Amino acid sequence: FVKKGAIVSVLVPDALFTKLPFQLSEDQVVYEDSDIIVVDKPSGLSTQSTQTPGEDHLYGAVIAYLTAKNPSK
């Protein structure tokens, strides 16, 4: 038991604070056919890549989504 007034330290691994890359899920795909894809883009997510390496963007997420769905193309 912890006594009232005691100081408790908690060590949290840095890995818990690592940002995971954005992945487009099927729930976010509003419409898709062979010519067009319409997605529900989260606010704050860039549409195109920027000069900041490793920053998530919608274009990359759509390419990864389509590649995973059709690996032969």
Side-chain angles (χ1 to χ4, degrees):
F1 293 101
V2 178
K3 294 181 181 180
K4 184 177 180 178
I7 297 174
V8 177
S9 296
V10 178
L11 301 176
V12 179
D14 289 341
L16 291 178
F17 295 102
T18 302
K19 182 181 175 207
L20 297 175
F22 173 75
Q23 292 184 344
L24 187 63
S25 70
E26 287 187 13
D27 293 341
Q28 293 167 303
V29 176
V30 178
Y31 177 81
E32 177 182 359
D33 65 23
S34 61
D35 297 314
I36 192 168
I37 184 168
V38 178
V39 299
D40 182 13
K41 182 185 87 62
S43 68
L45 179 66
S46 297
T47 304
Q48 302 177 39
S49 63
T50 65
Q51 293 182 347
T52 306
E55 185 174 311
D56 291 334
H57 52 86
L58 185 62
Y59 177 75
V62 169
I63 294 298
Y65 171 84
L66 294 173
T67 301
K69 195 169 175 184
N70 300 304
S72 62
K73 291 187 177 189

